Short mmCIF file of all heavy atoms in Angstrom, two decimals:
data_model
loop_
_atom_site.label_atom_id
_atom_site.label_comp_id
_atom_site.label_asym_id
_atom_site.label_seq_id
_atom_site.Cartn_x
_atom_site.Cartn_y
_atom_site.Cartn_z
N ASN A 81 -8.09 13.46 -7.23
CA ASN A 81 -7.45 12.18 -7.14
C ASN A 81 -7.44 11.73 -5.69
O ASN A 81 -7.70 10.61 -5.37
CB ASN A 81 -6.04 12.27 -7.72
CG ASN A 81 -5.36 10.92 -7.79
OD1 ASN A 81 -5.95 9.94 -8.18
ND2 ASN A 81 -4.15 10.84 -7.34
N ARG A 82 -7.14 12.67 -4.78
CA ARG A 82 -7.17 12.38 -3.35
C ARG A 82 -8.55 11.94 -2.91
O ARG A 82 -8.68 10.97 -2.15
CB ARG A 82 -6.75 13.66 -2.56
CG ARG A 82 -6.79 13.45 -1.10
CD ARG A 82 -6.44 14.75 -0.37
NE ARG A 82 -6.40 14.47 1.05
CZ ARG A 82 -6.22 15.46 1.93
NH1 ARG A 82 -5.97 16.71 1.51
NH2 ARG A 82 -6.27 15.21 3.23
N SER A 83 -9.57 12.58 -3.43
CA SER A 83 -10.94 12.23 -3.10
C SER A 83 -11.28 10.81 -3.50
O SER A 83 -11.93 10.07 -2.72
CB SER A 83 -11.88 13.20 -3.76
OG SER A 83 -11.77 14.52 -3.25
N VAL A 84 -10.84 10.42 -4.71
CA VAL A 84 -11.11 9.05 -5.17
C VAL A 84 -10.45 8.03 -4.23
O VAL A 84 -11.09 7.04 -3.80
CB VAL A 84 -10.69 8.85 -6.65
CG1 VAL A 84 -10.70 7.35 -7.05
CG2 VAL A 84 -11.55 9.63 -7.56
N ASP A 85 -9.24 8.33 -3.90
CA ASP A 85 -8.51 7.43 -2.96
C ASP A 85 -9.20 7.34 -1.62
O ASP A 85 -9.46 6.22 -1.12
CB ASP A 85 -7.04 7.90 -2.68
CG ASP A 85 -6.12 7.64 -3.84
OD1 ASP A 85 -6.44 6.90 -4.77
OD2 ASP A 85 -4.99 8.24 -3.79
N ARG A 86 -9.57 8.41 -1.08
CA ARG A 86 -10.22 8.41 0.22
C ARG A 86 -11.61 7.75 0.23
O ARG A 86 -11.96 6.98 1.12
CB ARG A 86 -10.26 9.83 0.86
CG ARG A 86 -8.89 10.39 1.16
CD ARG A 86 -8.98 11.82 1.61
NE ARG A 86 -9.65 11.94 2.82
CZ ARG A 86 -9.08 12.18 4.00
NH1 ARG A 86 -7.74 12.31 4.13
NH2 ARG A 86 -9.84 12.39 5.04
N LEU A 87 -12.38 8.04 -0.79
CA LEU A 87 -13.73 7.47 -0.92
C LEU A 87 -13.64 5.93 -1.09
O LEU A 87 -14.48 5.20 -0.53
CB LEU A 87 -14.54 8.11 -1.99
CG LEU A 87 -14.94 9.58 -1.77
CD1 LEU A 87 -15.60 10.18 -2.98
CD2 LEU A 87 -15.85 9.70 -0.54
N THR A 88 -12.64 5.47 -1.79
CA THR A 88 -12.43 4.04 -1.97
C THR A 88 -12.19 3.39 -0.66
O THR A 88 -12.74 2.33 -0.34
CB THR A 88 -11.21 3.79 -2.91
OG1 THR A 88 -11.53 4.39 -4.22
CG2 THR A 88 -11.05 2.26 -3.12
N GLU A 89 -11.38 3.98 0.18
CA GLU A 89 -11.07 3.45 1.51
C GLU A 89 -12.27 3.49 2.47
O GLU A 89 -12.49 2.56 3.22
CB GLU A 89 -9.84 4.09 2.12
CG GLU A 89 -8.63 3.98 1.31
CD GLU A 89 -8.26 2.54 0.88
OE1 GLU A 89 -8.59 1.59 1.58
OE2 GLU A 89 -7.68 2.40 -0.19
N TYR A 90 -13.07 4.56 2.38
CA TYR A 90 -14.32 4.58 3.13
C TYR A 90 -15.20 3.47 2.77
O TYR A 90 -15.79 2.73 3.63
CB TYR A 90 -15.08 5.90 2.94
CG TYR A 90 -14.59 7.08 3.73
CD1 TYR A 90 -14.21 8.28 3.07
CD2 TYR A 90 -14.51 7.06 5.09
CE1 TYR A 90 -13.76 9.39 3.80
CE2 TYR A 90 -14.06 8.15 5.81
CZ TYR A 90 -13.70 9.31 5.11
OH TYR A 90 -13.26 10.42 5.84
N ALA A 91 -15.38 3.24 1.44
CA ALA A 91 -16.21 2.06 1.03
C ALA A 91 -15.64 0.74 1.59
O ALA A 91 -16.44 -0.08 1.98
CB ALA A 91 -16.29 2.07 -0.55
N TRP A 92 -14.38 0.59 1.51
CA TRP A 92 -13.75 -0.65 1.94
C TRP A 92 -14.03 -0.86 3.47
O TRP A 92 -14.37 -1.92 3.91
CB TRP A 92 -12.25 -0.65 1.66
CG TRP A 92 -11.59 -1.96 2.02
CD1 TRP A 92 -11.58 -3.07 1.26
CD2 TRP A 92 -10.91 -2.23 3.21
NE1 TRP A 92 -10.88 -4.05 1.89
CE2 TRP A 92 -10.46 -3.57 3.13
CE3 TRP A 92 -10.61 -1.51 4.33
CZ2 TRP A 92 -9.76 -4.13 4.13
CZ3 TRP A 92 -9.85 -2.09 5.36
CH2 TRP A 92 -9.46 -3.45 5.27
N LEU A 93 -13.84 0.23 4.26
CA LEU A 93 -14.05 0.11 5.68
C LEU A 93 -15.49 -0.24 6.00
O LEU A 93 -15.76 -0.88 6.99
CB LEU A 93 -13.70 1.47 6.38
CG LEU A 93 -12.28 1.74 6.71
CD1 LEU A 93 -12.14 3.11 7.39
CD2 LEU A 93 -11.69 0.64 7.60
N LEU A 94 -16.41 0.21 5.15
CA LEU A 94 -17.80 -0.10 5.38
C LEU A 94 -18.18 -1.49 4.86
O LEU A 94 -19.34 -1.88 4.92
CB LEU A 94 -18.70 0.97 4.71
CG LEU A 94 -18.62 2.37 5.29
CD1 LEU A 94 -19.24 3.42 4.38
CD2 LEU A 94 -19.24 2.33 6.70
N GLY A 95 -17.21 -2.21 4.33
CA GLY A 95 -17.51 -3.55 3.86
C GLY A 95 -18.24 -3.57 2.55
O GLY A 95 -18.88 -4.54 2.23
N ARG A 96 -18.16 -2.50 1.82
CA ARG A 96 -18.91 -2.37 0.58
C ARG A 96 -17.97 -2.70 -0.61
O ARG A 96 -17.62 -1.82 -1.38
CB ARG A 96 -19.45 -0.93 0.47
CG ARG A 96 -20.52 -0.59 1.46
CD ARG A 96 -21.74 -1.45 1.40
NE ARG A 96 -22.36 -1.52 0.08
CZ ARG A 96 -23.27 -0.70 -0.37
NH1 ARG A 96 -23.75 0.19 0.44
NH2 ARG A 96 -23.74 -0.79 -1.61
N ASP A 97 -17.69 -3.97 -0.72
CA ASP A 97 -16.84 -4.42 -1.81
C ASP A 97 -17.50 -4.15 -3.16
O ASP A 97 -16.85 -3.97 -4.16
CB ASP A 97 -16.54 -5.94 -1.67
CG ASP A 97 -15.62 -6.23 -0.48
OD1 ASP A 97 -14.99 -5.32 0.05
OD2 ASP A 97 -15.61 -7.41 -0.03
N ASP A 98 -18.83 -4.16 -3.17
CA ASP A 98 -19.58 -3.83 -4.39
C ASP A 98 -19.24 -2.41 -4.88
O ASP A 98 -19.06 -2.13 -6.04
CB ASP A 98 -21.09 -4.03 -4.22
CG ASP A 98 -21.64 -3.20 -3.14
OD1 ASP A 98 -21.00 -3.01 -2.06
OD2 ASP A 98 -22.78 -2.70 -3.28
N VAL A 99 -19.19 -1.49 -3.91
CA VAL A 99 -18.86 -0.13 -4.23
C VAL A 99 -17.38 0.07 -4.70
O VAL A 99 -17.14 0.75 -5.65
CB VAL A 99 -19.19 0.83 -3.04
CG1 VAL A 99 -18.81 2.24 -3.30
CG2 VAL A 99 -20.69 0.74 -2.69
N VAL A 100 -16.54 -0.61 -3.95
CA VAL A 100 -15.11 -0.57 -4.37
C VAL A 100 -14.97 -1.11 -5.79
O VAL A 100 -14.28 -0.53 -6.62
CB VAL A 100 -14.24 -1.41 -3.39
CG1 VAL A 100 -12.81 -1.50 -3.92
CG2 VAL A 100 -14.27 -0.74 -2.00
N ALA A 101 -15.68 -2.23 -6.10
CA ALA A 101 -15.55 -2.81 -7.45
C ALA A 101 -16.15 -1.87 -8.49
O ALA A 101 -15.56 -1.71 -9.60
CB ALA A 101 -16.29 -4.18 -7.45
N ALA A 102 -17.25 -1.22 -8.15
CA ALA A 102 -17.86 -0.26 -9.08
C ALA A 102 -16.96 0.92 -9.35
O ALA A 102 -16.80 1.41 -10.47
CB ALA A 102 -19.19 0.22 -8.57
N MET A 103 -16.29 1.38 -8.28
CA MET A 103 -15.35 2.49 -8.46
C MET A 103 -14.13 2.05 -9.31
O MET A 103 -13.71 2.80 -10.17
CB MET A 103 -14.87 3.03 -7.08
CG MET A 103 -16.00 3.68 -6.31
SD MET A 103 -15.43 4.25 -4.66
CE MET A 103 -14.39 5.67 -5.14
N ASP A 104 -13.63 0.83 -9.04
CA ASP A 104 -12.54 0.36 -9.80
C ASP A 104 -12.85 0.20 -11.27
O ASP A 104 -12.04 0.48 -12.15
CB ASP A 104 -12.03 -1.00 -9.27
CG ASP A 104 -11.23 -0.87 -7.98
OD1 ASP A 104 -10.88 0.21 -7.57
OD2 ASP A 104 -11.06 -1.92 -7.31
N ALA A 105 -14.09 -0.20 -11.53
CA ALA A 105 -14.53 -0.45 -12.93
C ALA A 105 -14.81 0.91 -13.66
O ALA A 105 -14.72 0.93 -14.88
CB ALA A 105 -15.82 -1.28 -12.91
N ALA A 106 -15.10 1.98 -12.93
CA ALA A 106 -15.39 3.25 -13.56
C ALA A 106 -14.06 3.91 -14.09
O ALA A 106 -13.01 3.68 -13.50
CB ALA A 106 -16.11 4.17 -12.55
N SER A 107 -14.25 4.71 -15.07
CA SER A 107 -13.08 5.40 -15.62
C SER A 107 -12.77 6.64 -14.74
O SER A 107 -13.53 7.01 -13.90
CB SER A 107 -13.36 5.84 -17.08
OG SER A 107 -14.46 6.77 -17.09
N TYR A 108 -11.55 7.24 -14.96
CA TYR A 108 -11.15 8.35 -14.16
C TYR A 108 -11.39 9.70 -14.81
O TYR A 108 -11.36 10.69 -14.09
CB TYR A 108 -9.69 8.23 -13.72
CG TYR A 108 -9.29 9.34 -12.81
CD1 TYR A 108 -9.56 9.21 -11.48
CD2 TYR A 108 -8.75 10.53 -13.28
CE1 TYR A 108 -9.25 10.29 -10.62
CE2 TYR A 108 -8.49 11.58 -12.42
CZ TYR A 108 -8.72 11.46 -11.11
OH TYR A 108 -8.46 12.51 -10.23
N PRO A 109 -11.60 9.84 -16.12
CA PRO A 109 -11.61 11.17 -16.64
C PRO A 109 -12.54 12.15 -15.90
O PRO A 109 -13.43 11.70 -15.23
CB PRO A 109 -12.06 11.00 -18.10
CG PRO A 109 -12.49 9.61 -18.24
CD PRO A 109 -12.07 8.84 -17.00
N GLN A 110 -12.28 13.40 -16.17
CA GLN A 110 -13.04 14.51 -15.54
C GLN A 110 -12.95 14.46 -14.05
O GLN A 110 -13.95 14.48 -13.31
CB GLN A 110 -14.49 14.52 -16.05
CG GLN A 110 -14.71 14.38 -17.54
CD GLN A 110 -13.68 15.16 -18.38
OE1 GLN A 110 -13.00 16.01 -17.91
NE2 GLN A 110 -13.58 14.81 -19.70
N TYR A 111 -11.71 14.34 -13.60
CA TYR A 111 -11.42 14.52 -12.18
C TYR A 111 -12.04 13.43 -11.31
O TYR A 111 -12.40 13.66 -10.18
CB TYR A 111 -11.83 15.96 -11.67
CG TYR A 111 -11.21 16.94 -12.61
CD1 TYR A 111 -11.95 17.47 -13.67
CD2 TYR A 111 -9.92 17.41 -12.45
CE1 TYR A 111 -11.44 18.45 -14.50
CE2 TYR A 111 -9.39 18.30 -13.30
CZ TYR A 111 -10.09 18.81 -14.38
OH TYR A 111 -9.56 19.74 -15.23
#
Side-chain angles (χ1 to χ4, degrees):
N81 188 45
R82 177 183 183 184
S83 296
V84 168
D85 285 348
R86 292 175 65 106
L87 292 173
T88 300
E89 299 311 328
Y90 280 124
W92 185 82
L93 278 179
L94 292 168
R96 295 298 308 269
D97 293 342
D98 59 320
V99 175
V100 173
M103 291 178 75
D104 285 347
S107 61
Y108 184 84
Q110 312 321 344
Y111 310 95

